[in-house]
Amino acid sequence: MSLSNGRSYLAIPGPSVMPDRVLRAMHRAAPNIYAGELVAITETIVRDLKVVAGTQHNAAIYIANGHGVWEAALRNLLGAGDKVLVPSVGRFGEGWAEMAKSIGAEVELMPFPHLEPMDMAQIKTRLEADKDHQIKAVLITHVDTSSSIKTNPRALRDVLDTCDHPALLGVDCIASLGCDRFEMDAMGVDLMIAASQKGMMVPPGVGFVFFNDRAAAVRDRLTYVSGYWDWKPRAYPEAFYQYFGGTAPTHHLYGLREALDMLLEEGMEAVWHRHEVLARAIWAAVDAWAEAGPMALNIKDPAHRSCAVTAAHVGAPAGAELRAWLEEKAGVTLGIGLGMSTEEDPKGEGFFRFGHMGHLNAHMVLGMLGTVEAGMIALGIPHGAGGLSAAARVVAEGA
Ligand SMILES: *Cc1c(COP(=O)(O)O)cnc(C)c1O
C-alpha cells in the first residue's frame, strides 16, 4: 500500500517547491505589455534582484534556464579563440566549460575530484604561469549541484589578486542564490549568473546575469556580440521590450516579484540562516545513520558543503531503490546522483541528492528525513539509530 496521497514534495535540487504566494501571483489574466503595472514592477524586480545578489552593478534578465545564462554570460565575455580557465568540482562546472567550447572559446578545464574542494594552490600555480595573461576569465560554480561542493569565490578572488592577474572572475550561482550566503561585490566577483527555479522559488524559465563595470568593458571590446544574448540593451533598455529581447515573460515576472517580496520580507540574513540550519539538520541525520550502515555524505568538511543541496551515497542499487520507495510510498522525490558514475556503479545509482533550496522549512525537512528513515527500514538498509533526533536537535538549537 502507498502512503503517498497528500501534497507531494519535490526535494530535488531544482526546480524547487513553488510557494503558494508565487503561484497565486501568477494566476491572472495577461497584462498589457506596453504600459502600466508590468512595466513598473520590472524596474523594481531589477532593483531587488541586485539586492539579493549583493551587487550595486548591472543586471540583465533572459527568458532562459541555467544553460541559457551560461551561454548569455559567455557571449558577452569571449570572442572566438579567447581563453578561459574552468576549475571544476562537478558536472555543472564541466557543463559551463562545454558551453564555452561550443561557442569557439579556448577552454582549459581544470577538473578536481568530485568529492573534494578545489585546490586553490594549483589554480594559483596555473595563473602564475600565464605570464602574458592569455586567460580572459576564470569560471567556477559557487555550488556545484552534482557534488554539492561549495567554493568560496572570495578565496579565488584573493588568488587572482595575489597573482596580479586581470582575468575576470565569473561565478555560477544557479543553485546557491537565495540559499548559501553570497555577496557579489564584497566577494570580488565580476560576473554572476542565476536562474529562477532554485533558491528563487519561481518556475524554470527566467535567468539572470549580473556584471560589474570590468565585465562590461570586456563586452564593449568585443568585435561582435550576439544580438539576442547581448546584455547591454537588457541592462540599459531604451524601450521596455529590450529588457527581454522581445515579449516580456509576463507571468514569470509576477511570480518573481512575489518571490523577491518573500525573500526581502524575511531578510537575506534570515534566509541564509534558515538554509544553513536545515542543511545541518540533514547532515546530522545522515551522520547518525552512517554510524551503522552504508549511507554517508559525499563531502567531509562542512565548510565546503552547500546549504542548498546535499549529495550522499548509500551504495547501488540501494540509492535508486530508496528514491523509488520514497516517491511511490511517501510522496517525496529525492534527486538522482549526477556525475558520480564509477566502474562498479556505471549509472551512479548508489548516489542521490537532497534538494533543500528555496521554499522549505523545518517541518518539511524533518518530514523528509522521517520518510528516508522509513524507507531504509522498509528496504532493509542498515543504519545507525538516532538520525531523526539528531536532526531535531539541530532544528531546536537553530530555531
Ligand atoms: C541547475 C544548474 C544549472 C543548469 O540549469 P538548467 O536550468 O537546468 O539549465 C547550471 N549550474 C548550476 C550550478 C545548477 O545548479
Side-chain angles (χ1 to χ4, degrees):
M1 293 293 273
S2 171
L3 302 174
S4 69
N5 280 342
R7 180 164 264 211
S8 60
Y9 179 11
L10 187 64
I12 68 173
S16 62
V17 172
M18 287 180 287
D20 290 342
R21 274 178 69 177
V22 168
L23 290 171
R24 273 197 301 273
M26 297 177 78
H27 192 102
R28 63 171 75 208
N32 185 349
I33 59 162
Y34 301 108
E37 188 183 52
L38 193 74
V39 176
I41 70 167
T42 299
E43 285 168 21
T44 69
I45 284 173
V46 173
R47 179 195 69 204
D48 292 343
L49 281 171
K50 290 187 203 174
V51 173
V52 171
T55 184
Q56 310 248 342
H57 296 286
N58 314 291
I61 304 179
Y62 294 86
I63 300 181
N65 58 18
H67 284 67
V69 287
W70 269 348
E71 174 153 354
L74 297 168
R75 292 280 179 193
N76 286 276
L77 292 182
L78 303 172
D82 279 349
K83 183 158 188 161
V84 284
L85 180 68
V86 187
S88 168
V89 285
R91 190 63 205 100
F92 289 90
E94 289 159 13
W96 205 5
E98 284 157 16
M99 187 67 86
K101 208 171 281 176
S102 79
I103 68 157
E106 196 189 318
V107 180
E108 191 173 320
L109 181 68
M110 223 182 178
F112 292 97
H114 290 185
L115 301 172
E116 305 279 338
M118 58 180 72
D119 178 4
M120 290 292 162
Q122 217 169 306
I123 300 170
K124 180 161 175 277
T125 305
R126 179 64 194 92
L127 290 168
E128 278 166 351
D130 184 38
K131 296 259 180 286
D132 52 355
H133 297 159
Q134 291 290 306
I135 296 169
K136 297 281 180 286
V138 182
L139 306 176
I140 58 162
T141 51
H142 182 217
V143 166
D144 197 300
T145 323
S146 62
S147 61
S148 70
I149 292 176
K150 177 164 67 183
T151 300
N152 181 2
R154 184 74 239 175
L156 195 50
R157 164 50 60 200
D158 292 343
V159 168
L160 282 159
D161 289 352
T162 311
C163 303
D164 217 2
H165 199 295
L168 293 176
L169 173 56
V171 181
D172 171 346
C173 289
I174 295 171
S176 56
L177 193 69
C179 308
D180 282 283
R181 176 182 294 277
F182 178 85
E183 294 158 293
M184 175 168 158
D185 295 350
M187 288 175 163
V189 172
D190 298 302
L191 171 138
M192 186 271 272
I193 59 173
S196 54
Q197 77 270 24
K198 298 186 181 177
M200 302 302 286
M201 309 182 289
V202 175
V206 184
F208 318 104
V209 178
F210 302 87
F211 57 98
N212 67 10
D213 296 341
R214 286 186 74 216
V218 168
R219 177 240 167 262
D220 289 344
R221 283 198 296 273
L222 291 177
T223 317
Y224 296 104
V225 181
S226 144
Y228 186 73
W229 295 117
D230 192 352
W231 64 34
K232 205 165 184 174
R234 292 170 187 264
Y236 297 99
E238 284 162 15
F240 182 67
Y241 80 92
Q242 290 180 310
Y243 272 113
F244 310 104
T247 305
T250 48
H251 288 68
H252 274 75
L253 292 175
Y254 284 108
L256 186 56
R257 181 60 269 163
E258 193 70 25
L260 287 165
D261 285 345
M262 291 174 68
L263 287 172
L264 298 179
E265 281 163 19
E266 184 176 359
M268 291 313 295
E269 287 295 337
V271 169
W272 292 327
H273 174 76
R274 173 165 55 84
H275 280 87
E276 195 214 307
V277 173
L278 296 178
R280 283 199 284 110
I282 293 170
W283 306 340
V286 178
D287 282 344
W289 293 329
E291 302 245 326
M295 188 182 288
L297 299 172
N298 281 10
I299 311 303
K300 299 231 158 35
D301 180 355
H304 293 287
R305 290 183 197 148
S306 165
C307 297
V309 50
T310 294
H313 54 275
V314 64
E321 287 170 0
L322 182 61
R323 281 192 306 98
W325 190 94
L326 286 166
E327 185 158 83
E328 284 161 26
K329 304 290 189 183
V332 175
T333 305
L334 296 184
I336 58 169
L338 206 56
M340 290 297 169
S341 49
T342 59
E343 248 168 62
E344 309 84 72
D345 178 17
K347 290 198 206 140
E349 290 192 332
F351 290 85
F352 63 95
R353 291 171 300 157
F354 300 100
H356 38 99
M357 44 184 50
H359 190 55
L360 86 164
N361 58 20
H363 92 70
M364 294 162 77
V365 166
L366 291 173
M368 182 269 288
L369 292 170
T371 61
V372 171
E373 197 164 295
M376 289 195 288
I377 293 168
L379 296 169
I381 301 170
H383 55 280
L388 273 184
S389 41
R393 255 192 312 279
V394 173
V395 167
E397 283 159 15

